[in-house]
Amino acid sequence: MEIALVRLLQDLDYNQVSVTLLTAERQGPLLNMLPDQVAVRHCHFTSAFAYAIGVNDFSDCGTIRRSLYRLGRKLLTIASNDKRNLVYDYASSHIDDLPTEHFDAVLDFRGYGSLTTTLGVQLDADFHATWMHDEQMEWLPLAMPYLHGYDKVFCVSESVKHRFVEQASAYADKAEVLYNVLDADDIRRKASQPVPDDFAERPNKLVTLGRLLSQKGIDIAVKAAALLRQRGLDFTWLVLGEGDQRAELETMIHAYGLEHHFILKGRVANPYPYVAATDIYVQPSRYEGYSLALQEARILAKPIVATDIPSSREQITDGHDGILVRPDETALAEGIIRLLNDKSLCATLSSNLQGGRFDYEDQVRRLFTLIDDAKGSTRP
């Protein structure tokens, strides 16, 4: 979500727009990637408790205070309903510097039923929109009390829209698919840079981009890698990304003896040379909204093995421009072996991706059209 936001902001024409990024967090690793023209405003909380429960961040608390704050958040959550989210209502009431000026549009790009969804409806604007980034919507009740205040609920794929309409039918008329934008030319340019290590020289190269979280199925990938080793296959599988599951995954990798074959590379500033150099791009996700990593692999015309989940079916036609497999280690390993053993199929899959348009450049224009319609004006 954060990367998609950064790319959207980088795609804007700042001769035509001015942007204020309002964030409840005090810091973030991607702030230095924002265009210089973006004005960043951090919310000031008058209560440490309000900040902690609002952003679900208890890192500054001692052990006793952390326990008390978590208990307080839980009690407020239990007392909430689809009309009131007492956690966010309390947190937002203790922000003393919310913008008071009028905006053409307020875009809660973060979504995920976060505090920003609450803040968005409190700001004065002609047009309000919030985003749905994920098929799994267990967090949706957190956002329900505020959806009435939004003109549009943007879903990043058809599968996300379908899921949202199932879960929140009262707001079905507000739901609209708006794909995240990518700069395909920039991705290709970055991919042309040299690989900074010997990965390109290794046999049977596999790459996965994704956070180390259960959603991304990296544990499935580790088990699939163990099956590849049982078959006697020599390979190097890089996972580029970071997350809370690292320790658990490192334990699995060690248990299977995969230290030299399955490598958690961590967060890499420019992952695209690795994707360009790989023999196969592998996406083992359990669920997605609309995988940007899969989109990037398509832009680079790589042979792809992806789990057969609804959002993947929007990007991949099985056997035409990638192959789709069940989200389990056996099917994933079999799909990888199939492509490694069939160079002709790999060439066909890559060829069918050549020349395609995967960056959705028109989506920004669609967004501005909706904003202009709300304002009753026409942007040049």
Side-chain angles (χ1 to χ4, degrees):
M1 174 273 298
E2 292 96 338
I3 291 293
L5 174 59
V6 168
R7 286 172 176 158
L8 173 62
L9 294 174
Q10 291 173 342
D11 198 60
L12 299 180
D13 179 0
Y14 289 93
N15 292 317
Q16 297 286 325
V17 299
S18 62
V19 174
T20 298
L21 176 64
L22 181 67
T23 175
E25 281 81 7
R26 295 166 179 163
Q27 58 187 359
L30 300 182
L31 287 176
N32 61 354
M33 296 175 61
L34 298 175
D36 293 337
Q37 300 94 329
V38 174
V40 179
R41 294 173 63 165
H42 297 270
C43 295
H44 176 257
F45 289 80
T46 59
S47 159
F49 175 61
Y51 172 81
I53 67 170
V55 301
N56 203 19
D57 178 7
F58 305 92
S59 58
D60 290 340
C61 305
T63 303
I64 295 177
R65 188 150 58 103
R66 182 183 301 116
S67 298
L68 291 173
Y69 281 9
R70 287 185 184 277
L71 176 61
R73 191 180 199 275
K74 184 174 183 178
L75 292 174
L76 288 172
T77 299
I78 292 172
S80 299
N81 52 46
D82 60 357
K83 303 296 183 184
R84 294 286 305 276
N85 183 322
L86 298 181
V87 174
Y88 292 157
D89 286 353
Y90 181 88
S92 64
S93 71
H94 287 77
I95 299 174
D96 65 1
D97 60 348
L98 283 180
T100 57
E101 63 265 39
H102 176 78
F103 294 95
D104 295 315
V106 167
L107 308 177
D108 170 37
F109 193 87
R110 180 171 185 171
Y112 283 113
S114 63
L115 179 61
T116 58
T117 306
T118 309
L119 301 182
V121 296
Q122 298 181 41
L123 303 182
D124 180 29
D126 297 313
F127 178 79
H128 293 79
T130 186
W131 262 255
M132 298 285 155
H133 296 279
D134 206 328
E135 293 171 351
Q136 297 292 106
M137 295 186 181
E138 67 277 359
W139 44 263
L140 189 58
L142 300 173
M144 288 295 285
Y146 312 105
L147 293 182
H148 69 276
Y150 286 95
D151 301 291
K152 287 291 182 182
V153 177
F154 288 129
C155 304
V156 299
S157 68
E158 291 290 349
S159 58
V160 171
K161 178 182 176 182
H162 178 74
R163 182 66 172 165
F164 173 74
V165 170
E166 279 186 341
Q167 298 292 310
S169 58
Y171 299 106
D173 60 327
K174 297 186 178 187
E176 185 166 336
V177 174
L178 192 74
Y179 291 107
N180 288 324
V181 298
L182 285 179
D183 188 336
D185 292 335
D186 184 56
I187 288 171
R188 295 188 185 103
R189 178 184 59 78
K190 290 178 177 177
S192 68
Q193 297 178 14
V195 178
D197 51 39
D198 67 345
F199 178 69
E201 283 73 53
R202 299 187 184 187
N204 299 322
K205 299 175 291 294
L206 311 173
V207 166
T208 296
L209 304 183
R211 292 166 294 156
L212 307 183
L213 301 174
S214 176
Q215 169 193 348
K216 300 300 181 179
I218 309 302
D219 58 315
I220 298 174
V222 174
K223 294 175 183 177
L227 294 177
L228 298 180
R229 286 298 296 150
Q230 288 178 15
R231 297 282 191 93
L233 190 67
D234 186 18
F235 65 92
T236 300
W237 192 336
L238 297 186
V239 177
L240 309 180
E242 197 52 79
D244 296 339
Q245 226 182 3
R246 171 175 279 277
E248 176 186 339
L249 292 170
E250 288 175 339
T251 299
M252 289 180 64
I253 291 167
H254 178 72
Y256 286 118
L258 294 170
E259 291 90 343
H260 299 296
H261 299 278
F262 196 96
I263 300 167
L264 304 180
K265 194 76 173 176
R267 187 177 290 112
V268 176
N270 179 13
Y272 305 119
Y274 291 102
V275 179
T278 195
D279 296 307
I280 300 172
Y281 179 80
V282 185
Q283 190 72 36
S285 303
R286 288 183 167 89
Y287 60 91
E288 291 280 355
Y290 192 90
S291 172
L292 292 182
L294 194 56
Q295 194 175 348
E296 291 160 347
R298 293 166 66 214
I299 287 171
L300 297 176
K302 303 308 299 183
I304 293 168
V305 177
T307 45
D308 188 6
I309 57 177
S311 62
S312 292
R313 292 178 216 128
E314 287 189 47
Q315 300 199 53
I316 297 293
T317 299
D318 186 31
H320 176 74
D321 49 10
I323 63 172
L324 299 175
V325 300
R326 297 187 316 275
D328 64 65
E329 60 269 21
T330 302
L332 193 64
E334 292 295 338
I336 292 168
I337 291 171
R338 177 186 173 192
L339 288 191
L340 289 177
N341 290 338
D342 193 339
K343 301 303 180 186
S344 176
L345 177 57
C346 284
T348 298
L349 299 179
S350 295
S351 176
N352 289 338
L353 288 167
Q354 294 286 347
R357 296 297 300 177
F358 309 116
D359 47 12
Y360 302 116
E361 289 180 335
D362 63 320
Q363 301 299 279
V364 176
R365 291 192 295 273
R366 284 185 57 219
L367 175 59
F368 279 123
T369 297
L370 290 168
I371 294 172
D372 286 333
D373 288 347
K375 292 170 54 184
S377 64
T378 303
R379 185 177 298 275

